[in-house]
Amino acid sequence: MSGEDAPAQQQNAVDQKQETKPAEEPKAEPPKTEPAPEGAAEAAATPAAATEKVPEEETFTYRALVLTGYGGYDKVKLQVKKGKPALKAGEVLVRVKACGLNFADLMARQGLYDRLPSPPVTPGMECSGVVEAVGEEVTDRKVGDKVMVLNRFGLWQEVAVVPANHTFLIPEGMSFEEAAALPVNYITAYMMLFDFGNLRPNQSVLVHSAAGGVGIAATQMCKTVKDVIVFGTASASKHETITQGGVTHAIDYRTKDYVEEVRKISPKGLDIILDPLGGSDTHKAYNLLKPMGKLITYGAANMLAGQKKNLLAVAKNWYHQFSIHTLSLIQGNKSVCGFHLGYLDGETELITQAMDTILDLYKQGKIKPRIDSTWHLEQVGDAMRKMQERNNIGKVILTTEPMPEEEKKEETKKEDKKEDKKKEDKKKDDKKKDDGKKEEKKDDKKKEEAKKEEKKEEEKKEEAKKEEK
Amino acid sequence: MSGEDAPAQQQNAVDQKQETKPAEEPKAEPPKTEPAPEGAAEAAATPAAATEKVPEEETFTYRALVLTGYGGYDKVKLQVKKGKPALKAGEVLVRVKACGLNFADLMARQGLYDRLPSPPVTPGMECSGVVEAVGEEVTDRKVGDKVMVLNRFGLWQEVAVVPANHTFLIPEGMSFEEAAALPVNYITAYMMLFDFGNLRPNQSVLVHSAAGGVGIAATQMCKTVKDVIVFGTASASKHETITQGGVTHAIDYRTKDYVEEVRKISPKGLDIILDPLGGSDTHKAYNLLKPMGKLITYGAANMLAGQKKNLLAVAKNWYHQFSIHTLSLIQGNKSVCGFHLGYLDGETELITQAMDTILDLYKQGKIKPRIDSTWHLEQVGDAMRKMQERNNIGKVILTTEPMPEEEKKEETKKEDKKEDKKKEDKKKDDKKKDDGKKEEKKDDKKKEEAKKEEKKEEEKKEEAKKEEK
């Protein structure tokens, strides 16, 4: 395993001039869980560290998740990188504590997200951690600062180099997990509701996947405005949680037609609809808008069916892709907006403004990220599965804490069981995808393909195990 | 001349039960310029009034502009209607003082606006006047109230019956002309900028036709927000006026490419673009948006070329009609909104809220309608022409004040001169429409058509004169 897969933004440290020795730097608040400086802990595990004093740039190693190709959960592999990443002016090096999972990461794994460079590449749009080194011209961050980070990609690793203005100070009392859960979901919810949506008192909002990361953030944001009615879709088992979280009317989209349910309560329709689904759901949303209503579409989750790229789902989504004529907008007095934080990476000012407001709301106790579960880097596949299969309530988090040895062994034992479970899941998955009568034949084909896929996966898993050792 | 062309909403008074005698009603502020009650002034001009006491319902007459068919300026004719319109519960009868002209009226004349019922019908979406009678269940309006009125159509006449909640009290110090100029333009500008646009300090806005009614209203509205930069297009002769009115950068769209001009000053693009043009200009606007930018399209003025329906222009506009896919919106982080007040007529609450804010701004001296010119009902053709040929700066108004006899004679003399002028204008018009080399041949055809049209017009003018006598 070498560092050859390192993303473009993180040059190998060989040609790096600058040195950052912790002894020279003020360490106001040394984070308790920080590993030994200079990456010694990891370095110890590699043969290089066994030799006598070698320049830090060479002994420095860190673990990184790397997307090795497009496909299933196993395409994201844990690798060890060598060499301390170089810091350019304006950049900081962050020792990562926790990372957030986002839908874009799942899309990216299937090759459906064009903001991630081609594999091999490290995914990850958000993380939290501690500043371990600062580049020239960085004035507002110092070593030891606890920060959350927002970046186009490259944050699912133990060490990340990012522009200082992509970091935000973690407020007092916020955990690293919360901090890793906050940036993408809350900026997304904030900008959709308060910039495009222009949310005001007494309005009504539809939040799809109300138990997901953006869904929970959006619900909390809605509740910061007086008398806003939140319609939230989620499977029935999550209704209690989302209702406690602020959803006024929880709708089980699996057993009920959410359009009908909304119309029963709000016959005239809705003021704002957040649409992460795409395809035919965007059409439904458009028709469900009141005059002066705003439809804000921010994804195409309908394209994600199964763990690998599902051409049928993608094609269906494209076929149903919403296209709107201005005349219809004029006659309906409607607004259609598109949002994706991943395409806003040049807009530092906008994002910083949003983040300032969000952190104020956090300090006032009005918002609080909800963590669904935390996984070790080794478990990224399971973490992604949990999110993709919509089994989460809140944010799915990766931690860079090393996995205890006994857990690792447990994990290996579980592998076989998991394989069995996977087969079951796959069957369920296929069933879910069955849109009705027409597609039965296609489904048979899919099952066959799925079986083939599983065989391939088993082979790959074997490979992966070898690699990790 | 009879009342047979009366619009559907104004039933003939024959089956009307309710009587409204001014003597029985409190007249706190009798409007000075109000004609003699009971329509006596107009009635005197008709033979019916010469006979002895006849029930008011029958003697009541009033002048009304009526669109008699789709086509040129001469399609709107002045007629005299008989019979007092009936008042239903919740309605008021308004003695109209002044009416506003809007682009929708011009579109409607050509058959391009589906909110106006088929001819014969009285156009007119806004007017000001004095409440002359109130129907049952009307509690917040009383006889003598000075009001401005917003309605789907039917206001270009001396007497209009409208739902009481379509009227708004005219604030102290506002003239009837200003009041007739206010509702459509200011509600449109307000809702576009502050509801869809979510205008905030330091943002940049492009206002097309900045010297038009909506343009001036939008510019004034922009200036109520701190440090907003307004780009305004208008022909050079209007630049001084619009700059004094608040436009930061005036652009002569006739001699310069407005996209280039904007990019020179604001390379990243704009936050809000108000687009009344449609067609290819909507595409340009979309590309000129910043991330998180909002394009608000509210018309298709590009369809209006020449005084009659120009099939070429309509086809071109349709061909270039903007259609947007959600994926493009998502990747651009953009918003596309459509607005037209004519399709919001059921939204009393929204409109009343907007109007309250607008009237507050008026009282604070922050906005003030600018009147371009005021015309007698007899001159409606010239008034429409002035607006359609973009020779106005501000609002074109019709007054119901009777036209002095000498002016009428003047008007008749002018007719011949006007015909000559029209021919000249027509030539200019054709020249303007010439989009370049490709269309030269088509233009020749148009000129021929134009000549034919002029002949028809002359014939019709003759007819119209006979009718008016």
Side-chain angles (χ1 to χ4, degrees):
Chain A
M1 282 280 89
S2 81
E4 63 191 42
D5 297 335
Q9 68 178 145
Q10 298 210 3
Q11 286 93 29
N12 197 293
V14 176
D15 43 276
Q16 184 194 3
K17 296 281 176 287
Q18 190 187 352
E19 277 191 24
T20 46
K21 285 181 192 160
E24 299 169 13
E25 290 150 350
K27 279 214 163 187
E29 306 174 59
K32 282 163 204 163
T33 51
E34 198 185 21
E38 310 300 301
E42 286 80 6
T46 70
T51 65
E52 60 190 289
K53 195 158 166 61
V54 174
E56 179 204 4
E57 286 75 7
E58 286 170 38
T59 58
F60 192 98
T61 65
Y62 56 99
R63 294 179 308 151
L65 289 170
V66 177
L67 179 67
T68 55
Y70 299 129
Y73 302 125
D74 60 319
K75 289 295 182 189
V76 181
K77 299 188 195 302
L78 185 61
Q79 301 183 350
V80 176
K81 308 241 180 200
K82 258 190 222 167
K84 190 165 186 171
L87 272 188
K88 279 185 250 159
E91 289 182 337
V92 295
L93 186 147
V94 175
R95 174 66 56 177
V96 176
K97 297 294 181 185
C99 313
L101 254 72
N102 288 290
F103 243 79
D105 300 315
L106 305 178
M107 306 284 280
R109 200 196 63 238
Q110 297 192 351
L112 293 170
Y113 180 57
D114 65 359
R115 300 302 278 168
L116 190 75
S118 302
V121 62
T122 291
M125 301 164 69
E126 63 188 339
C127 73
S128 60
V130 179
V131 174
E132 199 168 281
V134 296
E136 282 170 25
E137 295 170 27
V138 174
T139 53
D140 54 353
R141 293 290 175 271
K142 62 184 189 306
V143 171
D145 277 349
K146 292 181 186 176
V147 291
M148 56 192 100
V149 184
L150 184 70
N151 212 43
R152 213 176 102 194
F153 65 96
L155 301 184
W156 286 1
Q157 49 189 349
E158 288 178 320
V159 163
V161 170
V162 294
N165 61 14
H166 287 201
T167 68
F168 308 89
L169 293 174
I170 298 180
E172 201 67 39
M174 186 189 277
S175 71
F176 282 119
E177 288 185 350
E178 279 183 347
L182 188 133
V184 172
N185 291 166
Y186 283 80
I187 295 176
T188 298
Y190 175 81
M191 297 194 84
M192 290 197 299
L193 288 170
F194 294 108
D195 191 329
F196 281 148
N198 196 7
L199 178 63
R200 282 154 300 165
N202 297 305
Q203 290 192 320
S204 52
V205 182
L206 174 60
V207 177
H208 279 291
S209 306
V214 175
I216 286 178
T219 304
Q220 291 178 1
M221 289 283 180
C222 283
K223 303 317 278 186
T224 66
V225 178
K226 201 165 167 278
D227 298 330
V228 167
I229 297 166
V230 181
F231 292 82
T233 69
S235 52
S237 62
K238 301 176 181 174
H239 283 197
E240 199 185 326
T241 312
I242 63 171
T243 305
Q244 281 168 3
V247 168
T248 325
H249 303 287
I251 301 171
D252 182 0
Y253 65 99
R254 298 189 198 219
T255 58
K256 286 186 176 166
D257 177 342
Y258 65 84
V259 173
E260 274 178 29
E261 295 302 304
V262 169
R263 289 270 183 213
K264 275 184 206 164
I265 296 159
S266 192
K268 280 186 72 180
L270 300 169
D271 293 299
I272 297 176
I273 298 176
L274 307 183
D275 162 41
L277 303 171
S280 56
D281 287 289
T282 312
H283 292 259
K284 288 184 189 174
Y286 185 74
N287 293 325
L288 201 46
L289 286 180
K290 264 187 197 171
M292 299 308 291
K294 289 114 189 154
L295 161 59
I296 305 152
T297 182
Y298 66 104
N302 284 338
M303 282 209 280
L304 271 189
Q307 64 160 309
K308 288 195 177 183
K309 182 147 91 178
N310 180 324
L311 283 177
L312 184 70
V314 172
K316 248 171 104 176
N317 201 74
W318 271 100
Y319 180 76
H320 287 296
Q321 230 227 111
F322 188 69
S323 161
I324 182 68
H325 278 258
T326 45
L327 197 67
S328 161
L329 287 169
I330 290 175
Q331 294 184 342
N333 283 296
K334 291 180 180 179
S335 162
V336 178
C337 322
F339 184 83
H340 201 292
L341 191 53
Y343 297 90
L344 267 189
D345 53 342
E347 302 301 318
T348 315
E349 205 183 315
L350 272 179
I351 287 170
T352 306
Q353 278 171 7
M355 205 56 163
D356 287 347
T357 312
I358 291 163
L359 293 178
D360 277 347
L361 290 172
Y362 178 87
K363 289 171 199 162
Q364 293 165 34
K366 290 187 177 169
I367 60 166
K368 186 175 175 64
R370 181 191 168 97
I371 311 300
D372 170 75
S373 51
T374 303
W375 307 76
H376 291 287
L377 295 183
E378 289 86 347
Q379 299 167 307
V380 63
D382 289 329
M384 290 190 292
R385 178 193 302 276
K386 179 139 199 203
M387 187 171 177
Q388 189 163 330
E389 295 184 352
R390 312 291 180 99
N391 291 323
N392 58 314
I393 304 186
K395 192 79 177 182
V396 177
I397 292 288
L398 296 172
T399 173
T400 57
E401 289 276 321
M403 199 177 187
E405 281 307 311
E406 53 270 37
E407 268 189 49
K408 273 188 195 167
K409 279 173 203 160
E410 276 296 304
E411 200 70 14
T412 320
K413 275 184 212 161
K414 269 189 253 160
E415 284 299 302
D416 301 335
K417 279 187 195 166
K418 251 191 242 164
E419 276 308 298
D420 293 343
K421 196 184 170 294
K422 253 192 213 173
K423 278 172 201 163
E424 254 177 61
D425 289 356
K426 180 75 63 182
K427 279 176 204 162
K428 275 188 214 159
D429 207 34
D430 289 344
K431 224 176 186 179
K432 256 184 263 161
K433 275 182 265 162
D434 179 5
D435 265 337
K437 308 97 211 175
K438 285 185 221 156
E439 292 188 23
E440 271 169 29
K441 282 183 194 170
K442 284 178 201 159
D443 269 358
D444 289 345
K445 253 195 194 168
K446 265 193 232 161
K447 276 173 203 162
E448 271 180 41
E449 275 170 22
K451 276 178 206 162
K452 279 184 214 162
E453 208 178 284
E454 274 165 11
K455 273 189 198 165
K456 276 188 216 160
E457 265 172 39
E458 280 169 56
E459 288 165 28
K460 276 171 206 157
K461 192 129 296 189
E462 284 299 317
E463 251 181 71
K465 276 180 205 162
K466 280 180 212 162
E467 272 180 31
E468 277 173 32
K469 280 165 199 166
Chain B
M1 284 273 86
S2 81
E4 62 191 43
D5 296 335
Q9 66 177 147
Q10 299 210 4
Q11 287 92 27
N12 197 293
V14 174
D15 44 277
Q16 185 193 2
K17 295 281 174 288
Q18 190 189 354
E19 276 194 22
T20 47
K21 285 182 188 158
E24 300 168 11
E25 290 147 350
K27 279 213 164 186
E29 305 175 59
K32 282 164 202 160
T33 50
E34 197 186 20
E38 311 299 300
E42 286 79 7
T46 69
T51 64
E52 62 191 287
K53 195 157 167 63
V54 175
E56 181 201 4
E57 286 77 7
E58 287 169 37
T59 58
F60 192 98
T61 65
Y62 56 98
R63 295 179 306 151
L65 289 170
V66 177
L67 179 67
T68 55
Y70 300 129
Y73 303 124
D74 60 322
K75 288 293 180 189
V76 181
K77 298 189 194 304
L78 186 59
Q79 301 183 350
V80 176
K81 307 241 181 204
K82 256 192 223 168
K84 191 166 186 172
L87 272 188
K88 277 185 254 160
E91 290 183 336
V92 295
L93 187 148
V94 175
R95 174 65 57 178
V96 176
K97 297 293 180 184
C99 313
L101 254 72
N102 287 291
F103 244 78
D105 300 316
L106 305 178
M107 305 284 279
R109 201 196 62 237
Q110 297 192 351
L112 294 169
Y113 179 57
D114 65 0
R115 299 302 279 167
L116 190 74
S118 302
V121 61
T122 292
M125 303 164 67
E126 63 189 340
C127 72
S128 60
V130 180
V131 174
E132 199 167 281
V134 297
E136 285 171 25
E137 295 170 28
V138 173
T139 55
D140 54 352
R141 294 289 175 272
K142 60 182 190 307
V143 170
D145 277 349
K146 292 182 188 177
V147 292
M148 56 191 98
V149 184
L150 185 70
N151 212 43
R152 214 175 104 195
F153 64 96
L155 301 184
W156 286 0
Q157 49 189 349
E158 289 179 319
V159 163
V161 171
V162 293
N165 61 13
H166 287 202
T167 67
F168 307 90
L169 293 174
I170 299 179
E172 201 66 40
M174 186 189 277
S175 71
F176 282 119
E177 288 185 352
E178 279 183 346
L182 189 132
V184 171
N185 292 166
Y186 283 80
I187 294 177
T188 297
Y190 174 81
M191 297 196 83
M192 290 197 299
L193 289 171
F194 294 108
D195 192 328
F196 282 147
N198 196 6
L199 177 63
R200 282 154 300 165
N202 297 306
Q203 292 193 319
S204 52
V205 182
L206 173 59
V207 177
H208 280 291
S209 307
V214 175
I216 286 177
T219 304
Q220 292 178 0
M221 289 282 180
C222 283
K223 302 319 277 185
T224 66
V225 178
K226 201 164 167 278
D227 298 330
V228 166
I229 297 166
V230 181
F231 293 82
T233 69
S235 52
S237 63
K238 300 176 181 175
H239 282 195
E240 200 185 325
T241 312
I242 63 171
T243 305
Q244 281 168 0
V247 167
T248 324
H249 304 287
I251 302 171
D252 182 1
Y253 66 99
R254 298 188 197 220
T255 58
K256 286 186 176 165
D257 177 342
Y258 65 85
V259 173
E260 274 178 30
E261 295 303 303
V262 169
R263 288 271 183 214
K264 276 184 205 164
I265 296 159
S266 190
K268 279 187 71 179
L270 301 170
D271 293 298
I272 298 176
I273 299 176
L274 307 183
D275 162 41
L277 303 171
S280 57
D281 286 290
T282 312
H283 292 259
K284 287 185 190 172
Y286 185 75
N287 294 325
L288 201 47
L289 285 181
K290 264 187 195 171
M292 299 308 293
K294 287 118 192 148
L295 160 59
I296 304 153
T297 181
Y298 66 104
N302 283 339
M303 283 209 282
L304 271 190
Q307 64 158 309
K308 287 196 180 184
K309 181 146 90 179
N310 181 324
L311 283 177
L312 184 71
V314 172
K316 246 171 107 175
N317 201 74
W318 271 101
Y319 181 76
H320 287 295
Q321 230 226 112
F322 188 69
S323 161
I324 182 69
H325 279 257
T326 45
L327 197 68
S328 162
L329 288 169
I330 289 175
Q331 295 184 342
N333 284 295
K334 291 179 179 181
S335 163
V336 179
C337 321
F339 184 83
H340 200 292
L341 192 52
Y343 297 89
L344 267 190
D345 54 342
E347 303 300 319
T348 315
E349 203 184 315
L350 272 178
I351 287 171
T352 305
Q353 276 171 9
M355 204 57 164
D356 286 348
T357 311
I358 291 163
L359 292 178
D360 277 347
L361 289 172
Y362 178 86
K363 289 171 199 162
Q364 293 164 33
K366 289 186 177 169
I367 60 166
K368 187 175 175 63
R370 182 190 167 97
I371 310 300
D372 170 76
S373 51
T374 303
W375 307 77
H376 291 286
L377 295 183
E378 290 84 347
Q379 300 167 307
V380 63
D382 288 329
M384 289 190 292
R385 176 192 304 275
K386 179 138 198 204
M387 187 169 176
Q388 187 162 331
E389 295 184 351
R390 312 291 181 98
N391 291 325
N392 57 314
I393 304 186
K395 193 77 178 179
V396 177
I397 292 288
L398 297 172
T399 173
T400 56
E401 289 275 321
M403 198 175 185
E405 282 307 312
E406 52 272 35
E407 268 189 50
K408 277 189 193 168
K409 280 173 205 158
E410 276 297 304
E411 202 68 14
T412 320
K413 275 184 212 160
K414 271 190 251 162
E415 285 299 303
D416 300 337
K417 281 185 193 167
K418 252 191 243 167
E419 275 308 298
D420 293 342
K421 195 183 170 293
K422 256 191 215 173
K423 278 173 202 165
E424 254 177 61
D425 288 355
K426 180 78 60 183
K427 278 176 204 161
K428 274 187 214 160
D429 207 33
D430 290 342
K431 226 177 186 177
K432 258 184 260 164
K433 276 181 266 164
D434 180 7
D435 265 338
K437 310 96 210 174
K438 287 184 219 156
E439 293 189 21
E440 272 171 27
K441 282 181 193 169
K442 286 179 199 158
D443 269 354
D444 289 345
K445 252 194 193 169
K446 268 193 226 162
K447 275 173 204 164
E448 270 180 40
E449 274 169 23
K451 274 178 205 163
K452 279 184 211 162
E453 210 178 283
E454 275 167 10
K455 270 188 196 166
K456 275 188 216 161
E457 267 172 36
E458 280 170 58
E459 288 165 26
K460 276 171 205 157
K461 194 129 293 190
E462 283 300 318
E463 249 181 73
K465 275 180 205 162
K466 278 180 212 162
E467 271 178 35
E468 277 172 32
K469 280 166 196 164

